[in-house]
Amino acid sequence: PPQPPSCPTLHLSFIMPKYSRQAENPTKAAQAGGTHLRTHYKKAREVGAAIKGMDLPAARRFLEDVLKRKQAVPFLRYTGGCGRHAQGKMRKTPGSKVGWPDKPVRFFLDLLKNVEANAESKGLEPENLTISHMQVNRAAKMRRRTYRAHGRINAYMCNPCHIELIVSEKNEDVARPADLPRRKATRKELAKRRVASGGGVEAEA
């Protein structure tokens, strides 16, 4: 009798997700990230936006101050149900809408420790590193259930997130050569100089 066709063997390969962007100079940068982190996406997004652009030591000090309630994280996008506090004036937060999200702050502290170790393994000095890239993405929701009155069941979802960050060395300022010819000012720039200097007085180009 004819034999049934054999099922093909499936080879599954698990590949680490790629970063959304790469460092401009990989030799002077380090990266770290985490996937499916069990912390709220919206709060993690606000923490990431707060430390983006900071120096690595300054970001660590800021997050440690948040855990000690000495500083607060500005809530700029997801402000629903967010309280107001005078600490928001320290960072010029609109409406002083701030919070102290402990769980995402601890995740970010772990990531900063990780990226610092990655930088040191490449021979970089942590004091010279700046957070040049920070991104927080939504992860797949994890489903649970909660039991309500009259025999009903409602969804009880959690909202995890993916976090990635890149730190890079600060670019050194290059002095402008003295013999470099200056660009001719446009009509709009000349008009702005006239207004800044008092209107009727002709400003020097």
Side-chain angles (χ1 to χ4, degrees):
Q3 297 294 329
S6 60
C7 297
T9 304
L10 299 179
H11 298 281
L12 301 179
S13 61
F14 297 93
I15 303 175
M16 290 295 292
K18 293 182 179 179
Y19 285 76
S20 62
R21 58 170 293 186
Q22 299 297 324
E24 296 180 359
N25 189 355
T27 60
K28 294 187 177 182
Q31 58 190 20
T35 58
H36 302 284
L37 302 179
R38 288 295 298 271
T39 181
H40 283 283
Y41 156 74
K42 293 184 178 181
K43 294 181 179 179
R45 185 265 167 199
E46 302 296 348
V47 177
I51 66 174
K52 183 178 179 180
M54 285 187 182
D55 296 342
L56 194 56
R60 190 186 304 109
R61 286 195 302 269
F62 169 71
L63 296 179
E64 290 172 353
D65 285 347
V66 171
L67 293 178
K68 298 174 183 177
R69 300 299 191 269
K70 293 181 179 179
Q71 294 194 61
V73 175
F75 278 62
L76 304 176
R77 178 176 295 179
Y78 302 108
T79 60
C82 181
R84 303 172 189 267
H85 197 275
Q87 287 185 1
K89 298 177 183 178
M90 299 171 63
R91 307 186 67 83
K92 299 182 179 180
T93 308
S96 295
K97 295 182 178 181
V98 294
W100 301 268
D102 282 4
K103 197 170 180 182
V105 166
R106 296 182 190 279
F107 274 109
F108 273 98
L109 281 172
D110 291 341
L111 284 174
L112 292 181
K113 183 178 179 180
N114 188 3
V115 76
E116 181 179 347
N118 295 341
E120 289 178 347
S121 67
K122 299 176 75 170
L124 303 176
E125 293 293 335
E127 293 78 12
N128 300 331
L129 297 176
T130 303
I131 301 176
S132 57
H133 171 67
M134 170 69 67
Q135 185 166 313
V136 181
N137 296 329
R138 292 180 188 269
K141 293 185 178 181
M142 304 178 72
R143 181 177 293 275
R144 289 183 291 171
R145 58 173 59 180
T146 184
Y147 300 92
R148 309 302 298 274
H150 310 297
R152 293 172 300 149
I153 293 176
N154 281 5
Y156 207 70
M157 315 282 277
C158 78
N159 295 273
C161 62
H162 310 308
I163 301 176
E164 62 183 51
L165 61 95
I166 298 176
V167 295
S168 56
E169 285 189 347
K170 297 178 245 183
N171 295 326
E172 296 181 359
D173 295 334
V174 179
R176 179 187 177 93
D179 56 348
L180 189 68
R182 299 188 64 86
R183 180 179 59 85
K184 185 178 179 181
T186 63
R187 296 177 61 184
K188 182 179 288 188
E189 290 173 346
L190 292 173
K192 288 182 180 179
R193 294 177 188 176
R194 284 196 296 271
V195 172
S197 63
V201 180
E202 186 72 15
E204 295 180 3

